[in-house]
Amino acid sequence: MGGMDTNDYRTALISGEVRAWLARRQKTQAELADHLGIARSAITRRMKGDRLFSLPELMDVADWLEISLQDLLGPEILGTRKSPRSDLVTTGAREDEWALRGSNPRPMD
């Protein structure tokens, strides 16, 4: 990642994926700006990684390109972080401590 912080790195990955999909679909940044109803300069900032795409924008881009959001983001972006829940559940606990002590194992009616 070099001197880039995590958010800058992710922003750069996302903008790179959008650029790649535009090229695959033979679409221009100007067409994307028109489709999203935003200024071309705003698309330029997003494509350079100076500004984040919002989630609704990414969903709209994927629909417009006729791909899934998963396809648009790609495996590198989607795999950059594992679920935080697994970290929270077991942090500082031994396996024998995971179960609630004194809980009733019978189902409730």
Side-chain angles (χ1 to χ4, degrees):
M1 286 193 314
M4 226 182 244
D5 76 23
T6 302
N7 288 333
D8 289 344
Y9 178 69
R10 290 179 181 156
T11 301
L13 284 175
I14 291 168
S15 63
E17 287 295 327
V18 171
R19 269 194 310 279
W21 275 104
L22 286 177
R24 288 180 191 118
R25 295 293 195 244
Q26 299 179 348
K27 305 239 183 213
T28 66
Q29 290 182 27
E31 291 172 319
L32 178 58
D34 291 343
H35 173 75
L36 293 175
I38 61 177
R40 291 178 184 183
S41 61
I43 280 295
T44 299
R45 285 191 298 278
R46 285 166 177 79
M47 299 305 282
K48 288 173 50 180
D50 294 338
R51 181 177 168 136
L52 292 170
F53 280 95
S54 70
L55 182 56
E57 286 173 340
L58 289 171
M59 293 168 70
D60 197 12
V61 170
D63 286 344
W64 181 63
L65 294 171
E66 299 179 345
I67 58 174
S68 70
L69 185 58
Q70 182 177 356
D71 288 337
L72 178 64
L73 296 179
E76 186 173 357
I77 294 167
L78 295 176
T80 57
R81 174 99 170 100
K82 64 182 178 177
S83 171
R85 289 187 163 183
S86 62
D87 294 344
L88 295 175
V89 170
T90 60
T91 299
R94 294 187 323 258
E95 187 172 346
D96 63 338
E97 294 176 329
W98 293 354
L100 295 175
R101 298 192 193 282
S103 66
N104 185 346
R106 292 177 292 184
M108 298 179 74
D109 295 305

